[in-house]
Amino acid sequence: MLKEHQPRVLLMDLDSFDIEELLARQLVSRTAEESVKVLALSANLDPGTALKVLLGGAQGFLHKDTPVQGLVDAIRAVDRGGVALDPQVASELVTALRFSGPSGVPAGPGNGVKLTPRQRQILGLIGHGLTNVEIADQLQLGRPTVKTHISSLLRTLDLRDRTQLAVYACTHGFRAHAAVP
């Protein structure tokens, strides 16, 4: 169906599957091959499930009861390259990971990773959910410059995509490096 209809964003109802981590990763991997961004929906706002789905490549995780306008806004954000997280999930995820980090290592700003002040600032803005255009406007940078910084961050942090950057920013304290208007 992905090849036939070529959607840009796929809403994935996690409750419709007996979703295991492998299944989520396989489905998201297939969507990545087709350049489809995934926005996962669930009635369960478990941060552990959200983290698995986000690390599997999804660009968002929302509660199924998200109001229509919130869902439309989330789809548009994901389509523009941003991320969409249910506020409750985001809060619980950040709180849980702040104290344990993704692998049980205490999560401090960067955990010893060497980033420039500008990279830290851009990573923080990604953690706040800003798009490349919004980051460029806020920092008065060219859009290609922002893309270059993001590519560099992905390589330096050995991450796969923007969603993983956003999760990393939230779990490692980088949101504090960026003032959001």
Side-chain angles (χ1 to χ4, degrees):
M1 287 183 70
L2 292 174
K3 287 181 183 181
E4 181 182 339
H5 296 287
Q6 298 180 334
R8 295 191 319 240
V9 177
L10 171 69
L11 296 178
M12 184 170 82
D13 181 354
L14 299 181
D15 300 335
S16 295
F17 300 98
D18 180 19
I19 194 99
E20 296 290 329
E21 183 177 351
L22 181 60
L23 174 61
R25 286 178 187 242
Q26 286 176 343
L27 182 57
V28 173
S29 293
R30 286 189 199 130
T31 62
E33 291 170 15
E34 300 297 326
S35 298
V36 177
K37 297 169 182 153
V38 174
L39 179 56
L41 303 173
S42 179
N44 179 3
L45 291 179
D46 173 50
T49 302
L51 186 59
K52 284 179 187 176
V53 172
L54 293 170
L55 290 173
Q59 284 77 19
F61 187 89
L62 295 176
H63 193 276
K64 283 175 131 175
D65 291 340
T66 299
V68 172
Q69 189 58 52
L71 189 57
V72 169
D73 292 343
I75 292 168
R76 287 182 177 146
V78 167
D79 188 38
R80 289 190 314 262
V83 296
L85 287 177
D86 184 275
Q88 180 183 335
V89 169
S91 176
E92 291 179 20
L93 191 59
V94 170
T95 300
L97 293 174
R98 181 176 290 140
F99 297 106
S100 67
S103 62
V105 177
N111 270 351
V113 173
K114 302 259 192 258
L115 298 177
T116 67
R118 180 64 87 190
Q119 287 175 319
R120 290 175 175 275
Q121 189 177 32
I122 289 173
L123 186 56
L125 292 171
I126 291 170
H128 282 287
L130 274 67
T131 65
N132 289 7
V133 172
E134 292 167 332
I135 293 170
D137 290 347
Q138 181 169 337
L139 300 179
Q140 298 180 350
L141 296 172
R143 292 174 189 169
T145 302
V146 172
K147 287 180 91 171
T148 299
H149 278 297
I150 291 172
S151 294
S152 175
L153 284 165
L154 289 168
R155 278 190 311 277
T156 301
L157 300 173
D158 194 28
L159 298 173
R160 187 175 54 242
D161 56 33
R162 182 185 196 88
T163 303
Q164 288 187 341
L165 278 175
V167 170
Y168 187 91
C170 292
T171 60
H172 289 81
F174 284 97
R175 287 170 40 120
H177 291 275
V180 177

